Amino acid sequence: MPLLQIEDDGFRLDGDPFRILSGGLHYFRVHPDLWADRLHKARLMGLNTVETYVPWNLHQPRPDEFRMDGGLDLPRFLDLAAAEGLHVLLRPGPYICAEWEGGGLPSWLLADPSMRLRSRDPRFLAAVDDYFGRLLPPLHDRLAPRGGPVLAVQVENEYGAYGDDTAYLEHLADSLHRHGVDVPLFTCDQPADLERGALPGVLATANFGSRSAEHLATLRTARPSGPLLSTEFWIGWFDRWGGNHIVRGAEQASQELDELLATGASVNFYMFHGGTNFGFMNGANDKHTYRPTVTSYDYDAPLDEAGDPTEKFAAFREVIGKYAPVPAEVPPPRAAKFGLEAVELTESIALLDAAPALGDAVASLRPLTMEELGQDYGFVLYETELPDAGPALLELEQVRDRAQVFVGGQPVGVLERERHENSLTFAVPWPGTVLTVLVENQGRVNYGQGIHDRKGLLGSVLLNGSPLDGWTSRPMPLTAPEDLPFGTASAAPTGPAFYRGTFDADRPADTFLHLDGWTKGSVWVNGFALGRYWSRGPQRSLYVPGPVLRAGANEVVVLELHAPGRERKVAFRDAPDLGPVED
Ligand code: GLA
C-alpha cells in the first residue's frame, strides 16, 4: 500500500495528489461476520478509505487482560479493508468519545478515587502507555510503510474541547511513535477548539456538519498551509432515551457534502455505517442533565443499522461521482430479513431469587461503587436491614444511574439520575425489614469533565436523616444470564425478572426484535447481548445480526426490570422502529 504524505498544498499518496474520501465504520459496532460486507459497500459508494476508533475498554477489560479476538480482531478488520482496496484512518484514543461507554476509557481507571483522566496524571499515562504497548505491536504490519492499509493515526479526540495541556498530547504522540507508529499523525477538533487541541508539527483537522467553507476557513487560519481534512463530517446524529429519532435528510446532507467536496478538502463522514451499541456499551452525555444514548447507532448513515443502503447512500454516491471515480457495481437494495411473530417466553426467574447466581455479595459499612467492586457494567444489588418500623425517608446522595427500591421485596419506587431524583418515602412494616436497591449503570458519560463517571450508589445514604450503615453490595455484570436456573411458573414473577424462550429459524438472517408491551431491560439471543430496550423510546426494536441466529433452535433471554407484556411474547420483524422522527 502506498504512503501518505502531508505537503503544503495537500495530501499526496506516493507523490501523487490525493484526496481522502473516507467514512466512519466502527468494527466494534458491527458483527465480525459482517465486516467484509460493510467494507465492500463502502468502496461501492466511492470511498477510498474507512475510519475506525479503537475502544480501549473492550480490548483491555482488566489491567492485566488484553483481547484481540472475535469481534475485537482489529488486525483482521484491517486485513479485510486492505483486501477491499481501502485505506484506513485509525483512531486508537486513548479517549474516543463516540457515544461509547466512558468514551472508551476502561472503568477500572476510576477505581482510584483521585485519577485524572485525559491528563498527565502519571497513573493515567502509565495505563495509556501499557495499552499502546499491547495494541500497537500487532498492528505494526498493517501500517502503510509495511504494505498495510493504515495511512494515518489520530492522537486523542477533540482534546481542545476538554483541556489545553499540549504536553499531554505530546506524550501521546511520543508514545505512539515509541510503539512503532511510523505513519503521519493528526488531531481533530471542533473549529472553535483548534487552538487548544492542535499539536505543533502534527496535522490539525476539523469536525463539523455544515457550513463547510466557513469552517475550513477557520482551519486554514489555524494552519496557513497543509491539507484540509474534515475528520468528522456529521451527516446524521445519535439518539438518546426519551428524545425523538434524529434524521438528516438525504438531500440536505448531500448538498452539504457537495459544498465540502467543491472546496477540494478531504473528508471522513461520521458515520458511513453506524452499527449498534451492543450489550451495555452505550455512552451518555451530561450537560447538567445525564442523558444516556440508545442502543441503536444507526446514525441516519448511508448504510443503515442492518447494513442496507439508504437513500443517502445513493445521493452520496452521486455527489462523490462528480469528484472521483465510483465503481459501477451497486449494492443489492435490501437483504431479506428473518420474521417470526409471537415467540413466547415460557420460562422465568425473579432477579432477586437469581441474585446468588449473579454475583457474590460484599459486606461493608457503606454501599460500594461498581469500580470499588471491580465491576465494569450491568447492575449492583444493595441490601441492608431497616432498623425501625414506621414512616421512612430514604435519601441517596448520588444514584448512578437508576435505582429501583424494594422494601421487604416489594417495589416502592424508582430514583433516576436523569430526573435529578434522590429521595423516596415508604412505610417500614417491622424492624429488620430488608431494603433492597437495584442500581443500573445506564452507560458512562463519554463527553466533558463528566467522564469521571463512577457507578452504583455514591456518597451518603440517609434514613430519616441518619446514616444507614451495614450493607451488602452484590455486583451483577450479567455476563451469562442464559445459565440461570429458569423455571416454568405460569404467573409472571413480581418485579425484575429474567424470561427465556426458544424458537426455530429455518433460514437465519438479519432481523429486528420487537418487545411490544414490555417495559425496560436488556436482551440476549443465543448468548449475544443485543442491548437495552425501553418503552420510553424513541427506539422500540433491537437489531439482531443474522450471524447471531442458528438454523434450528435458538434461545432468547430478556431481563425485564418492571413488567413484561401480558402475553410474555416477543416478535422478530423485518423492519426496525427507531421512533418518531425529529429533523
Ligand atoms: C464528536 C466526537 C465523536 C462523536 C460525535 C457525535 O465529534 O469526536 O466521537 O461523539 O461528536 O456523534
Side-chain angles (χ1 to χ4, degrees):
M1 283 272 185
L3 293 183
L4 184 73
Q5 291 131 354
I6 293 175
E7 305 292 346
D8 282 353
D9 61 350
F11 290 116
R12 285 174 191 264
L13 203 60
D14 275 354
D16 296 327
F18 178 62
R19 181 203 287 247
I20 298 172
L21 294 170
S22 177
L25 170 52
H26 299 158
Y27 60 97
F28 48 95
R29 287 182 153 129
V30 178
H31 191 285
D33 293 2
L34 302 171
W35 288 347
D37 172 74
R38 309 311 192 239
L39 288 161
H40 182 60
K41 288 169 179 166
R43 193 173 63 74
L44 295 190
M45 202 176 76
L47 302 184
N48 55 31
T49 305
V50 291
E51 165 273 315
T52 186
Y53 281 127
V54 180
W56 180 7
N57 52 5
L58 282 191
H59 283 280
Q60 195 168 3
R62 296 278 101 208
D64 55 357
E65 197 187 320
F66 199 80
R67 292 191 49 199
M68 203 110 87
D69 59 333
L72 293 173
D73 191 346
L74 176 56
R76 178 174 164 261
F77 178 79
L78 298 175
D79 292 346
L80 290 171
E84 195 57 55
L86 291 164
H87 306 288
V88 174
L89 299 176
L90 191 68
R91 307 205 283 165
Y95 163 80
I96 63 170
C97 194
E99 291 68 69
W100 193 250
E101 232 274 350
L105 298 170
S107 70
W108 46 259
L109 291 166
L110 296 171
D112 187 330
S114 60
M115 170 68 75
R116 284 178 300 115
L117 302 171
R118 304 182 73 192
S119 80
R120 267 186 297 150
D121 182 330
R123 295 161 298 183
F124 182 68
L125 293 184
V128 172
D129 292 343
D130 177 62
Y131 158 57
F132 280 169
R134 294 167 189 257
L135 174 78
L136 296 169
L139 305 184
H140 198 58
D141 286 348
R142 276 83 180 183
L143 304 187
R146 276 153 303 284
V150 178
L151 282 187
V153 170
Q154 183 180 298
V155 186
E156 245 272 355
N157 190 77
E158 291 193 343
Y159 176 67
Y162 184 82
D164 59 3
D165 183 2
T166 306
Y168 161 63
L169 293 180
E170 267 160 6
H171 178 99
L172 297 183
D174 284 352
S175 187
L176 290 168
H177 286 143
R178 269 187 287 116
H179 292 104
V181 172
D182 52 2
V183 294
L185 301 181
F186 63 104
T187 56
C188 78
D189 281 285
Q190 295 177 33
D193 302 324
L194 277 163
E195 291 285 324
R196 287 150 52 94
L199 187 55
V202 168
L203 177 69
T205 70
N207 299 345
F208 50 83
S210 61
R211 310 204 311 274
S212 300
E214 178 191 324
H215 293 313
L216 290 170
T218 307
L219 178 58
R220 185 45 85 219
T221 307
R223 290 293 164 103
S225 66
L228 294 174
L229 165 64
S230 175
T231 292
E232 290 181 26
F233 186 58
W234 301 314
I235 53 74
W237 205 245
F238 58 92
D239 295 342
R240 64 171 178 86
W241 292 116
N244 287 329
H245 173 47
I246 300 174
V247 301
R248 181 149 193 216
E251 198 178 324
Q252 192 220 351
S254 51
Q255 274 168 15
E256 297 282 0
L257 176 64
D258 206 352
E259 181 188 329
L260 174 75
L261 293 182
T263 67
S266 283
V267 66
N268 173 62
F269 318 122
Y270 194 92
M271 300 289 296
F272 161 66
H273 171 49
T276 308
N277 298 315
F278 292 119
F280 294 124
M281 298 314 294
N282 65 278
N285 281 289
D286 192 352
K287 294 170 184 162
H288 309 293
T289 295
Y290 172 79
R291 296 199 187 285
T293 301
V294 302
T295 302
S296 171
Y297 204 62
D298 178 90
Y299 219 85
D300 197 26
L303 222 54
D304 70 15
E305 189 176 3
D308 290 320
T310 64
E311 201 189 330
K312 202 173 273 179
F313 184 101
F316 279 20
R317 182 175 178 272
E318 200 176 311
V319 172
I320 292 170
K322 288 169 63 177
Y323 300 91
V326 168
E329 182 186 342
V330 287
R334 192 166 188 278
K337 303 289 181 283
F338 169 75
L340 188 62
E341 281 297 320
V343 174
E344 203 175 337
L345 308 191
T346 50
E347 298 171 89
S348 61
I349 180 169
L351 179 136
L352 295 183
D353 294 342
L358 293 169
D360 294 329
V362 181
S364 60
L365 194 63
R366 323 297 315 282
L368 300 175
T369 64
M370 245 187 201
E371 292 72 17
E372 285 169 329
L373 290 162
Q375 181 190 359
D376 304 310
Y377 318 114
F379 295 75
V380 184
L381 188 73
Y382 296 101
E383 285 188 319
T384 188
E385 285 184 7
L386 296 165
D388 304 309
L393 168 66
L394 177 70
E395 293 172 84
L396 305 176
E397 189 178 335
Q398 290 192 61
V399 173
R400 298 207 178 162
D401 303 297
R402 190 170 184 273
Q404 293 176 242
V405 183
F406 306 84
V407 174
Q410 291 308 303
V412 294
V414 176
L415 298 175
E416 288 192 0
R417 174 182 182 183
E418 177 169 5
R419 291 188 298 192
H420 306 274
E421 292 168 333
N422 294 90
S423 54
L424 194 69
T425 57
F426 47 82
V428 183
W430 53 78
T433 299
V434 174
L435 170 71
T436 305
V437 185
L438 176 66
V439 180
E440 178 185 359
N441 164 1
Q442 292 184 278
R444 288 187 181 79
V445 170
N446 60 261
Y447 189 80
Q449 302 299 328
I451 55 174
H452 298 84
D453 191 10
R454 296 174 178 85
K455 296 301 191 184
L457 292 181
L458 281 73
S460 65
V461 177
L462 302 179
L463 186 74
N464 293 330
S466 300
L468 187 57
D469 293 335
W471 288 82
T472 59
S473 307
R474 188 189 296 273
M476 293 182 164
L478 304 188
T479 42
E482 62 278 9
D483 294 341
L484 291 172
F486 283 89
T488 49
S490 54
T494 40
F498 296 88
Y499 296 84
R500 182 166 70 179
T502 53
F503 61 97
D504 279 339
D506 42 356
R507 277 186 300 117
D510 280 4
T511 182
F512 298 93
L513 180 66
H514 291 249
L515 294 112
D516 306 343
W518 297 67
T519 310
K520 184 182 192 312
S522 290
V523 186
W524 293 258
V525 169
N526 297 329
F528 184 94
L530 294 183
R532 303 176 218 252
Y533 67 92
W534 198 352
S535 57
R536 184 180 183 200
Q539 173 174 13
R540 299 299 297 274
S541 62
L542 292 171
Y543 170 58
V544 186
V548 164
L549 298 184
R550 301 189 278 248
N554 293 266
E555 174 198 74
V556 56
V557 170
V558 175
L559 165 62
E560 167 57 56
L561 295 168
H562 298 279
R566 189 170 7 98
E567 297 182 317
R568 293 205 231 164
K569 286 178 181 160
V570 299
F572 295 97
R573 302 195 181 124
D574 72 347
D577 180 357
L578 293 177
V581 162
E582 168 179 306
D583 278 304

